[in-house]
Structures are given as structure tokens and as C-alpha cells.
């Protein structure tokens, strides 16, 4: 495993679109070659070298490449976009689209992320030590293909609209979430260890939501079915099982209608 | 204006009967001329290349409110495919619903120079023309829809052909329209009641008229006026198993009617995207191709032309004035749906659709389109389209040409499908060894379409006197080639001229051209009744006044090309 270290030296005056910060783009490249990779600032094409001090080199493949990003990256977007393997560690608070459309590998953020982290994610793992913004693991604007695989773990809180159009994979939030959880979901699993506000599971077709804390306003489209004992993330407890969204279409399996499942811990 | 001579290319021009001969093509003052008329031309070396007249698309949805709804509600269609401004090219984006700029450039790159917008809701004609205006290079025209229009339904219920014709003439002028388009006759109006017209004798609620009466009446009104193009129909019952009988019934409505107007066309009905109308079976399980039955009729009746509406197996955006069909589609695929009722005139729906090669029905649809093209006895009457973007985006035309020209490429597809055996069983494509020639491709994309549109005096050939629209493709018909070479060549014109102006040079777009909007000004005798009806309908029903309805002035149609029709006699 080779390591490339990027340390921001020149802040962009607009936002920097740096989807080239990924093990796939860095694999097989020297620091000099990596510095020449392009980025966009508004409609101007720049290079990673214009903004970052770069040391180390990429491994032979993405899987053998580790990237460490240091400094104030709050104006840097698309870190780890579409990555298929390897590892990225961000020591800071990156802007939007961290790990969007990610397929494999691991991203660790030792801070907060802005919106759209893990958009359309297919595989791999994202771990966020701080808070996540809105639209975590959601679909791109307009798309009906949200998070499809992989795992996102947020140790802090998350914003609104997490897991919109989720089809698979898992999102675990250590703290609280804002409104709209798993809207339109057709699969996947969201665990909220703290409290949720409202519109949890709206227009949900299939999938699971597990809330440990309070739900401020329950959706009228969810119906209480029964109590169940579950083990979630190593914690065994009794949960109330609600099914919904009854206003949505649902397929049948062996004559039984499959609903979205919402579990709330007692 | 500059003079050009395109030297040494293999020329394919069905109008002049040139089949791959090495001939020089001369351009002067925007027109083709005899080579002897050139004084000091710039030479374009087309050695080893294919030369054809600029292609003419008879049916695509490239401008107007439903296209823009597609753009608006599908931001994901532009994900990862936007290109920044470059040279003369503006910023471009989108795949199945591209921006207006990309539409113009992509057509030019394929050697297309004229494109018909196939369904313009008259109430939104202004929007349609604004988009046409913003589409560079290509000449365009738009077909207003008539098949669910209250005026038409009321006049034709009483078989008032002359009043229908007067109204058509008025509406073509008001909307700067080109031809009479009919979409799901009566069915879209029925959709306002939550119903549909599933065959040609299924009466329209309230109006008490049948689709058969609407279609036949509009053909007669079209020929009463003697318009350049024939009535252009998308029949009832689109997309349903077993619908081929409705299609044949619709075809038969053209029987016994002769074309008028002296525009050179032989047909009185153009039936569009026939692939969607050639289905057998009675459910999706026993769904099968009925292309032989359809083509038997087309081949033996020369007052009909069709386009194929080839499914390209892409993720695309369906959009049609066939409102009930789009509702049916969203119930099928559960993707987002937009629906509009256009007051007294029509309706519309938009739904994204993924034609997946792993789905049996999609693969069968793909085969049916190609069968229609390959079973055509007269390629001057059967045209290549994808009903863009309904069966696939127009940028796949080069791929459709490849499939039609190469049995190998078709069979690779057929054998590669997930449900290969079932698809082969339900279709006829596997047994067809015909490979279309470049001459036949030129008929299906240029000579035939120009003729059917009544534009043979402008487009579709390299004949001296015609508009100098010509494409040079990097394709040597005398050399060995792989099927993919066909697709590559037809997607990347080496040179393109539009009205004598060089648009593409050595594969690079070098000009935004001087696009024109064609419309038909049909002069009819004064008809006070129709004018009174128009006035009354605006006062009573329309949400806009007549003054805010008509497409007038430089803003909407800055560069018009008016085709005059005299129907006063």
C-alpha cells in the first residue's frame, strides 16, 4: 500500500470540484503526475497541484493506494467520487459529494461532511466521525437510483433527506436526524440511534428504518403491527414494528404484501 | 458566397440514381450546381469517403413543452455528460433530452440537416418556436397536433371537410406549423374523462365521433388543401400486445384517397413509429412481432409511408401527446410521470423508460423495428427513426444504420440477449439475411423522407438547384469493414454543408449555420363560420386571448422559410 498525502496550500476562491482525488485516479502516478490532474473552479480548469502540496505516490492499483487529505477542505467537493477501491482519510471538513457513486474501498472523514455524501453509492464504506449534512446516501437530483450498496456510518448527527430513493446498503447514524428519512426507499436499512423529527419513511415501498429515540411526528401512512425483539448493532431491545407507507404501491411475495418496515425502540 | 467542390467521393443519390459512383459535387450560392458553373471553388477532398445529401428526419421530438418537461424533470439525464463551450460550440448536455444546442450539433455530426418536430401543441407553439430558434444549424419545422382538437372533432363529426381545412389553414398560420399531426385520435381527448380510444371505432366521449372519422376526415382535409406533407398519424392503441390490427385498420383509412398539391409525394398517410404498432399476442407473456403482416400491407399500398421508431435499448425519456399511454407506462415502471391537459387541443405525458436488453419485451421491440426496415420492398417509403426520444435517442441513428446494414451485428445482439431463444421465437429477425445498401440507407434517411414531406424540391438529393446540404462520411464502401465502422462513420461526418455553408470541416464544427424555420402558409377562401368559431372558442374556453396565442414576429421565427400553398381554387 502506497500513500499519497495532499495538504491544501491555496484555497480556491470559489469551490473546487476535485473528483480526481480518488485512488483510481492516483493509482500508478507519481506526486508530479498527480499534481497535474485537473480540477474545476467554477468554469476554470485548474490542477490539483495548484491547490495542494502533494507528496508520496500512488500504488500500482486503486486498491493499493491510500490518500490522506489535510487542511481546511471545506471548499473541496467530490472527494472519492466513483472510487472502486483503496482508502481515503480526510483530516478536515470536506464539502459536498464525498464518496458519491462510490463502488468500493473506504473513506474516513475525521470531521463533518456537507450534503450529498454517498450519493448513489454502490459499495464500499464511508465513516464520518462528525456530522453529516443533508441528502446522505440519497439519489442524485431527479434520479430514482439512490444508495444501492455499501455502508455509511456517521458518529454525530445527520441532516434532512437521508437515504432518499435508497435501494440497498446500510446507513447508521449515531445521533439525531432531521426530516425525511428513506423517502421513496425500495430497500436498504437506516439505523438512527438518536431522535428523528418527522416524515420518516414517507412514500417508502420497501426497506427498513430503525429509530432508537423519539419520532416527533409519525407518518399517518404507517400502521403499528406488533412488538418484536431485535438485535441492532450489538444492542438487544424490544421495538414497535410499524409498516407503511400504505399510500404507496407494494409488491406481493407468496401472497403477502411487502411493506416498508419502521422499528421504534421502547 | 463561397464555392466548393467535393471531389472524388463515392456518391449515393437515389434521386439522381447515383449508386456509389465517383462524382464531384459542386456548391455555389447555397445551392448545388453543375461543376462547370464554378469559377474558383475551394476543394474538399472526399477520396475514399461516402458522400450523401444532408439527411432529413421526418419524426423526432426535439423542441417544445414536453421536451422541456423532460429536461426539467430529468436533471439526471445530464449527469456526467456535459461539455463546456469549445470553439464555436456552445455548452452542451443531456442524453435523451439534450439541450437545444446539443440537439443541433449532434444532428450535424450525423450529417442531418433538416429535422421535423413531430408534435407541437398549438397553445404552446410559441415555446416550441423559441426552442427551434435556439437549435443551431438544422432547418426545422413543427407539426401541430389536430387529432384531439375540439374544432376538428366538431367539424368532422358532421363531415365538414371544408371547415376543417379552413381551420387547419388558420392554425398552421397562427402557429407557424408545417403539417397535420394526429396522435391517438380521440384517445387523448377521452383521457380527459379518464378513458381512451382503443380502436378506430371506439367513440370519443361527449363528441360522439370515432377515431376512424377523425383520421379519414383529416386526410381528406389535408388533400383538400394540398399541403406539402400528408396527414401524419400515431394511431390508437400504441404499445399494446395485439395492436397490429388497429394499425392495419388505420392504414386502410387511406385507401382510395389521392395526394393533391403537386408536391411530388405519393402518400396520403404517414404512419409514424410503426414498431410500437406492430405487436401480436394478447399479453406481455405471448407478446410477438407482427411485422410481416404490417409490411405486407405497406409494401402493397403506395399511398402510405412509415417510419420505424427503432428501439435502441437505452435509458430514455418517453414523451407523447398520447396522455393515456404515458399513464399506462408509469403504472408499469413506477418512474416519475408528468401529465398535461392542453385545453381544447391535446394532452401530453412524459415518463423515463429503461429499454433493457435483459427484458424480453424490450428485446422483441428492438427486433420488430429492424424487421420493418428489412422487410421494406420500397425504401423510399420506409424511414429510419427512433421516434426520438421515445424508442431511443436520435444519436443512435448510426447504430440503427449499422444493424440494418449488418446481419452479423444483428445476430450478435440476438444471441447475446438474456432471453435469446424466446426473443428469436417471438420475432422473425433471425432468418432475415438482407443487408441494406448505402443506396437504400440514403433512400430511408434522405431521398424518401424529403419526398414524403413534400420537400423533394429542396432536400434529399444533390441535384443542381437544390439546397446545398451535403454530408461526407469517412467510410469507404469498397474496403473491408467491421460493422462498428459503419456506426462510427455515420456518427462523425467528416464534412457537412448546410445551404452551402460549411458547418463541419475535418470532423470539427466550425459554424453555427443559419438555421431556418419552415412553415406552410395555406391560403383558403374566406370562411366566416370558422373565423367566428375561433373567436368564440377563445372568448369562451381558452385561458389566453387570440392575440396572445398566435406566433408572430421576429422573436419567435427570426429566419422563416415560408412554403406557400394556394387552396383558394
Amino acid at each position: 500500500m502506497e500513500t499519497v498525502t495532499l495538504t491544501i496550500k491555496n484555497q480556491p476562491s470559489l469551490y473546487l470540484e476535485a473528483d480526481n482525488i480518488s485512488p483510481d485516479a492516483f493509482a500508478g502516478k507519481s506526486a508530479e503526475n498527480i499534481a497535474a490532474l485537473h480540477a474545476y473552479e467554477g468554469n476554470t480548469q485548474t490542477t490539483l497541484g495548484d491547490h495542494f502540496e502533494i507528496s508520496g505516490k500512488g500504488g500500482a492499483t486503486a486498491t493499493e493506494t491510500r490518500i490522506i487529505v489535510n487542511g481546511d477542505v471545506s471548499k473541496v467537493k467530490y472527494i472519492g467520487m466513483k472510487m472502486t477501491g483503496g482508502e481515503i482519510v480526510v483530516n478536515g471538513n470536506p464539502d459536498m459529494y464525498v464518496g458519491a457513486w462510490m463502488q468500493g474501498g473506504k473513506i474516513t472523514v475525521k470531521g463533518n461532511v456537507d450534503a450529498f455524501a454517498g450519493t448513489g453509492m454502490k459499495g464500499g464504506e464511508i465513516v464520518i466521525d462528525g456530522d453529516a449534512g443533508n441528502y446522505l446516501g440519497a439519489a442524485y437530483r431527479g434520479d430514482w437510483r439512490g444508495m444501492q450498496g455499501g455502508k455509511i456510518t456517521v458518529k454525530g448527527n445527520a441532516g434532512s433527506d437521508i437515504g432518499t430513493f435508497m435501494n440497498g446498503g446500510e446507513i447508521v447514524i449515531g445521533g439525531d436526524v432531521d426530516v425525511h428519512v428513506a423517502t421513496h426507499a425500495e430497500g436498504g436499512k437506516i439505523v438512527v440511534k438518536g431522535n428523528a423529527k418527522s416524515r420518516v419513511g414517507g412514500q417508502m415501498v420497501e426497506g427498513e428504518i430503525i429509530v432508537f429515540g423519539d419520532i416527533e411526528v409519525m407518518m399517518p401512512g404507517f400502521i403499528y403491527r406488533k412488538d418484536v425483539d431485535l438485535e441492532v448493532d450489538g444492542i438487544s431491545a424490544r421495538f414497535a414494528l410499524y409498516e407503511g407507507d400504505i399510500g404507496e404501491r407494494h409488491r406481493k411475495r407468496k401472497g403477502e404484501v411487502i411493506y416498508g418496515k419502521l422499528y421504534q425502540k421502547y | 458566397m463561397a464555392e466548393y467542390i467535393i471531389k472524388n467521393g463515392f456518391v449515393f443519390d437515389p434521386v439522381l440514381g447515383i449508386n456509389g459512383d465517383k462524382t464531384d459535387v459542386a456548391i455555389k450560392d447555397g445551392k448545388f450546381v453543375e461543376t462547370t458553373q464554378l469559377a474558383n471553388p475551394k476543394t474538399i477532398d472526399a477520396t475514399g469517403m461516402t458522400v450523401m445529401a444532408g439527411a432529413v428526419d421526418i419524426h423526432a421530438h426535439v423542441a417544445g413543452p414536453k421536451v422541456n418537461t423532460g429536461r426539467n424533470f430529468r436533471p439526471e439525464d445530464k449527469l456526467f455528460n456535459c461539455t463546456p463551450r469549445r470553439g464555436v460550440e456552445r455548452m452542451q448536455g443531456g442524453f435523451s433530452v439534450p439541450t437545444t444546442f446539443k440537439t443541433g450539433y449532434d444532428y450535424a455530426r450525423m450529417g442531418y440537416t433538416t429535422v421535423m418536430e413531430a408534435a407541437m401543441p398549438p397553445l404552446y407553439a410559441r415555446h416550441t418556436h423559441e426552442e427551434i430558434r435556439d437549435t443551431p444549424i438544422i432547418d426545422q419545422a413543427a407539426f401541430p397536433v389536430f387529432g384531439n382538437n375540439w374544432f376538428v372533432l366538431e367539424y368532422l363529426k358532421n363531415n365538414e371537410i371544408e371547415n376543417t381545412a379552413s381551420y387547419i389553414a388558420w392554425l398552421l398560420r397562427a402557429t407557424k406549423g408545417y403539417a397535420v399531426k394526429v396522435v391517438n385520435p380521440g384517445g387523448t381527448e377521452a383521457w380527459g374523462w379518464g378513458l381512451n380510444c382503443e380502436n378506430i371505432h371506439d367513440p370519443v366521449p361527449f363528441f360522439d365521433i370515432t377515431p376512424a372519422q377523425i383520421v379519414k376526415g383529416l386526410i381528406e382535409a389535408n388533400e383538400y388543401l394540398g399541403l406539402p406533407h400528408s396527414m401524419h398519424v400515431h394511431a390508437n392503441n400504441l404499445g399494446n400486445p395485439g395492436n397490429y390490427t388497429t394499425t392495419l385498420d388505420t392504414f386502410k383509412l387511406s385507401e382510395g384517397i389521392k395526394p393533391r398539391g403537386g408536391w411530388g409525394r405519393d402518400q396520403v398517410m404517414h404512419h409514424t413509429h410503426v414498431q410500437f404498432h406492430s405487436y401480436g399476442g394478447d399479453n406481455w407473456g405471448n407478446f410477438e412481432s407482427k411485422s410481416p403482416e404490417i409490411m405486407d400491407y405497406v409494401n402493397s399500398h403506395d399511398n402510405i409511408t412509415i417510419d420505424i421508431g427503432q428501439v435502441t435499448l437505452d435509458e430514455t425519456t418517453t414523451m407523447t401527446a398520447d396522455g393515456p399511454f404515458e399513464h399506462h407506462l408509469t403504472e408499469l415502471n413506477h418512474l416519475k410521470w408528468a401529465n398535461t391537459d392542453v385545453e381544447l387541443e391535446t394532452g401530453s405525458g412524459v415518463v423515463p423508460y429503461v429499454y433493457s436488453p435483459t427484458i424480453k419485451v424490450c428485446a422483441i421491440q428492438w427486433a420488430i423495428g429492424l424487421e420493418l426496415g428489412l422487410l421494406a420492398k420500397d425504401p423510399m417509403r420506409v424511414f429510419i427513426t427512433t421516434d426520438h426520444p421515445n424508442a431511443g435517442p436520435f444519436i443512435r441513428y448510426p447504430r440503427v444504420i449499422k444493424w440494418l446494414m449488418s446481419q452479423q451485428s444483428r445476430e450478435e445482439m440476438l444471441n447475446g440477449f438474456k432471453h435469446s431463444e424466446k426473443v428469436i421465437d417471438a420475432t422473425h429477425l433471425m432468418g432475415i439475411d438482407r443487408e441494406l445498401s448505402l443506396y437504400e440507407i440514403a433512400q430511408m434517411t434522405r431521398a424518401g423522407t424529403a419526398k414524403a414531406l413534400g420537400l423533394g424540391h429542396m432536400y434529399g438529393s444533390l441535384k443542381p438547384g437544390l439546397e446545398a446540404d451535403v454530408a461526407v462520411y469517412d467510410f469507404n464502401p469498397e474496403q473491408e469493414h467491421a460493422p462498428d465502422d459503419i456506426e462510427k462513420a455515420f456518427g462523425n461526418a467528416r464534412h457537412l454543408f448546410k445551404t452551402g455553408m460549411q458547418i463541419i470541416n475535418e470532423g470539427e464544427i466550425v459554424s453555427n449555420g443559419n438555421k431556418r424555420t419552415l412553415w406552410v402558409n395555406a391560403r383558403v377562401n374566406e370562411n366566416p363560420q370558422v373565423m367566428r368559431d375561433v373567436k368564440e372558442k377563445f372568448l369562451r374556453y381558452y385561458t389566453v386571448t387570440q392575440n396572445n396565442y398566435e406566433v408572430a414576429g421576429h422573436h419567435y421565427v427570426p429566419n422563416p422559410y415560408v412554403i406557400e400553398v394556394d387552396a383558394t381554387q
Side-chain angles (χ1 to χ4, degrees), chain A residues 81 141-142 144-145 249, chain B residues 75-76 80 315 334-336:
Chain A
M81 182 171 112
R141 286 279 193 232
W144 57 88
R145 290 154 290 205
R249 74 195 148 85
Chain B
E76 76 279 11
F80 306 129
E315 176 184 323
H334 307 300
L335 298 184
K336 51 196 165 183

Side-chain angles (χ1 to χ4, degrees), chain A residues 173-193:
Chain A
I173 310 293
D176 303 338
V177 294
D178 208 324
V179 298
H180 291 291
V181 177
T183 309
H184 288 290
E186 293 203 30
K189 180 177 173 183
I190 297 179
V191 179
V192 179
K193 301 244 176 107

